[in-house]
Amino acid sequence: PAGGAVDPKDRLAVWQELETGIDAIGTDPRAADRALGRALALDPGNGLALKYLGDLAFRAGNDRAAADRYTLALRAGFIHPDVFVNLATIAARAGRSAEARRHLERAVALDPGAADAWNQLGILRASAGDLRGARDAFARAIDAAPGRPEAYYNLALIDRREGAERAARSRLEQAIERDPAYADAHYELGAGHLAARQLAEALAEFRAALAGR
C-alpha cells in the first residue's frame, strides 16, 4: 500500500502480535519483545508497539534503547503521559534535570491526575531551588492521590528547609498516618524531636524508622 499504510490483510496480524506481546510483558519479556517486534515489522510506524518496546528496554535498564523507542513512538503520534514520565526518569538518571522537568510538565499537562509525575516534578523543582513551584507540584500530587504519603513527606522537607518546624511535623505525621511503616518519615520526625530535645519521642521514631526499613 502507498504512503506506508498497513496492508489490510496484515492488520489483524498486527493486533494479534500486539496483544500477545502486551500480555507477556509481565511474565516473559523475551516473548513480549519478539511479538512486539513482529508487530513493528508488519507496521513500522506503530506507536503502541514502539511504546511497549520502550517499556521493555526501560525495565531492563537499557535507557538508551528505551529513549530511542519512546522518541519514535512520539513521532508516530503515540502521545501518552507514561512515555514522558519514563523519559523524565531516563533524563534525571543521566543528570539532565532541566530536560526531566520538561518531560514531567508534559506528562501532567496530559494527565493532571498523575500523582507520581507531580511528585517527581516537585522533587526536581525543589532540587533546582524553585520551592514555590515544588510546593505547587506536591499539593497537586496530594489532590490527585490524597491517600499516598510521599508528597506529604516532601512538603515536610520544604517546611523544615524554610524553618517551619511545626508544619513539617504535621506533614510527617500525615505521611505516617497513610503509611505507618514509612521509614524516612519516622526518621525525619525523630530528627525534629531530637532537635527539640524530646529524647523519648525521638528514640521511638528512630526505632520505628529502623523497623520500617
Side-chain angles (χ1 to χ4, degrees), residues 3 11 17 23 44 54 65 89 92 98 110 112 120 129-130 147 169 176:
R11 287 176 185 164
E17 295 292 1
D23 286 347
T89 300
L110 288 167
Q120 291 179 48
D130 178 12
R169 183 176 297 185
I176 291 168

Side-chain angles (χ1 to χ4, degrees), residues 80-139:
H80 193 281
D82 288 351
V83 172
F84 290 107
V85 169
N86 288 351
L87 282 171
T89 300
I90 291 167
R93 285 199 288 234
R96 303 190 302 271
S97 297
E99 179 185 334
R101 290 197 302 274
R102 289 195 298 271
H103 286 311
L104 289 169
E105 285 161 359
R106 290 289 304 276
V108 296
L110 288 167
D111 180 8
D116 283 339
W118 279 118
N119 191 59
Q120 291 179 48
L121 182 57
I123 292 170
L124 288 172
R125 286 176 174 175
S127 296
D130 178 12
L131 299 188
R132 183 175 180 179
R135 279 189 179 279
D136 177 69
F138 293 137

